[in-house]
Amino acid sequence: MKVLANDGISKTGELALTEAGFEVLPNRVAQDHVINFINENNVDILLVRSATKVRQDMIDACPSLKIIGRGGIGMDNIDVDYAKSKGIKVINTPTASSKSVAELVFGHFFALARFLHESNRLMPLEGETHFNAMKKSFSKAYELSGKTLGVIGFGSIGQEVVKIGIALGMKIKVLTKNPKTKVLSLDFFDGQSLNFEITSTNDMDAFLKDTDFISINTPKTNEYIIDTPQFEKMKDGVYIVNTARGGVINEVTLLDFIESEKVAGAALDVFENEPSPELPLLMNPALSLSPHVGGNTVDAQEKIGAELAEQIIKLQKETIR
């Protein structure tokens, strides 16, 4: 069977597939040419991340496809239900990149709380001439320990964000559509493990009250989770990080509340207008920004490739039986 990993696959995943008898094609094909390439090469399995879109037209035009795999959690770039209705198996890797995304959340939190995002931009320009002035302006920083962390969403990423918050000594709040209780296990280097029982709330007002740091970790939504009514109920000086999807937070309103100093700082890894974020976002010094790299670590990509390969090999064995 032929595999087109159009947005790339780790060496671990490629090796596992090759050893199992699959032919992994080395090509990376532009979106407009994917259909022709699949048909000309009789591709059986298409693996994508977020770049390649797999819509109904591609599914209809490529009868050789048997499996579509998404390296990551969200599958909004694939018409999943339609593919399944055509007998195509659709797989993803819902937990492989969770730790990487969670660590990015806190990378942004630390950057915001200590002004690292701004000082890293200004030091090369003004460090020699305005050192003392910058030292003074960046002195009103905060520790995360002892502060209240609010996590919106309690899936695999949200759980990893909560774990890091617990390890830092933060107080924890979780917001979900329906209250739920989960037991999270923190594993340590020496083999010790500690369990923490966390119960979420569906009360937005209670969640926002007195919360110092907010992390958004939800699937794609059809409407804003955070907009004017939610900003107005937040604690003054709140920090917000969105590594979920563009469109879960109103970016225009966010800038307004940064201007009013209700929001002390925010970080965006995803954008409403991606891959061309709005210029006012890119230029705002209160924003810490990254180009949708939440799951883009060597570690996560190794896990994603291995997990995709494992699922594909398992599906093939089940088909042969």
Side-chain angles (χ1 to χ4, degrees), residues 203-221:
D203 185 337
M204 176 68 84
D205 292 356
F207 171 81
L208 294 175
K209 184 180 179 181
D210 299 328
T211 301
D212 301 291
F213 294 84
I214 296 174
S215 175
I216 308 174
N217 303 107
T218 66
K220 184 177 177 63
T221 58

Side-chain angles (χ1 to χ4, degrees), residues 39 54 57 59 116 118 142 151 156 166 245 285:
N39 290 330
V54 188
D57 61 332
I59 294 167
L116 297 181
E118 194 172 358
Y142 292 97
V151 180
S156 59
I166 292 172
R245 284 289 187 270

Side-chain angles (χ1 to χ4, degrees), residues 3-7 9 17 45-49 68-69 308 312:
V3 179
L4 173 63
N6 205 44
D7 297 335
I9 187 171
L17 288 171
I45 301 168
L46 174 62
L47 303 181
V48 303
R49 285 165 63 188
I68 299 170
L308 282 173
I312 291 168

Side-chain angles (χ1 to χ4, degrees), residues 174-195:
V174 179
L175 180 72
T176 53
K177 287 183 178 179
N178 300 300
K180 59 183 69 175
T181 299
K182 291 183 181 292
V183 176
L184 305 183
S185 178
L186 270 67
D187 301 319
F188 298 94
F189 70 98
D190 59 357
Q192 293 188 71
S193 181
L194 291 175
N195 292 333

Side-chain angles (χ1 to χ4, degrees), residues 42-230:
N42 293 314
V43 173
D44 303 280
I45 301 168
L46 174 62
L47 303 181
V48 303
R49 285 165 63 188
S50 58
T52 303
K53 307 295 187 289
V54 188
R55 301 302 180 200
Q56 290 188 20
D57 61 332
M58 184 181 296
I59 294 167
D60 287 335
C62 300
S64 65
L65 284 180
K66 300 177 181 63
I67 299 173
I68 299 170
R70 162 71 162 95
I73 299 175
M75 295 197 288
D76 42 284
N77 58 320
I78 302 172
D79 286 339
V80 176
D81 291 338
Y82 189 76
K84 290 180 177 178
S85 74
K86 296 294 182 178
I88 299 173
K89 300 288 186 180
V90 183
I91 60 175
N92 68 335
T93 57
T95 62
S97 59
S98 298
K99 289 183 183 295
S100 291
V101 178
E103 288 186 8
L104 180 67
V105 169
F106 279 90
H108 278 300
F109 276 146
F110 284 124
L112 290 167
R114 297 305 300 268
F115 303 104
L116 297 181
H117 64 299
E118 194 172 358
S119 62
N120 279 331
R121 288 187 288 201
L122 291 179
M123 279 295 288
L125 301 174
E126 302 179 19
E128 187 177 7
T129 56
H130 295 83
F131 188 94
N132 287 332
M134 283 192 290
K135 180 179 180 179
K136 183 177 180 180
S137 67
F138 295 149
S139 64
K140 295 179 180 179
Y142 292 97
E143 296 179 357
L144 274 68
S145 176
K147 303 301 189 299
T148 298
L149 169 67
V151 180
I152 303 178
F154 210 17
S156 59
I157 295 175
Q159 292 175 43
E160 292 298 332
V161 172
V162 168
K163 288 181 184 181
I164 296 176
I166 292 172
L168 289 170
M170 302 184 79
K171 303 168 187 175
I172 304 297
K173 291 183 179 181
V174 179
L175 180 72
T176 53
K177 287 183 178 179
N178 300 300
K180 59 183 69 175
T181 299
K182 291 183 181 292
V183 176
L184 305 183
S185 178
L186 270 67
D187 301 319
F188 298 94
F189 70 98
D190 59 357
Q192 293 188 71
S193 181
L194 291 175
N195 292 333
F196 295 83
E197 185 175 281
I198 305 295
T199 300
S200 68
T201 179
N202 62 354
D203 185 337
M204 176 68 84
D205 292 356
F207 171 81
L208 294 175
K209 184 180 179 181
D210 299 328
T211 301
D212 301 291
F213 294 84
I214 296 174
S215 175
I216 308 174
N217 303 107
T218 66
K220 184 177 177 63
T221 58
N222 294 322
E223 57 187 23
Y224 296 126
I225 295 174
I226 301 296
D227 205 344
T228 299
Q230 290 74 41

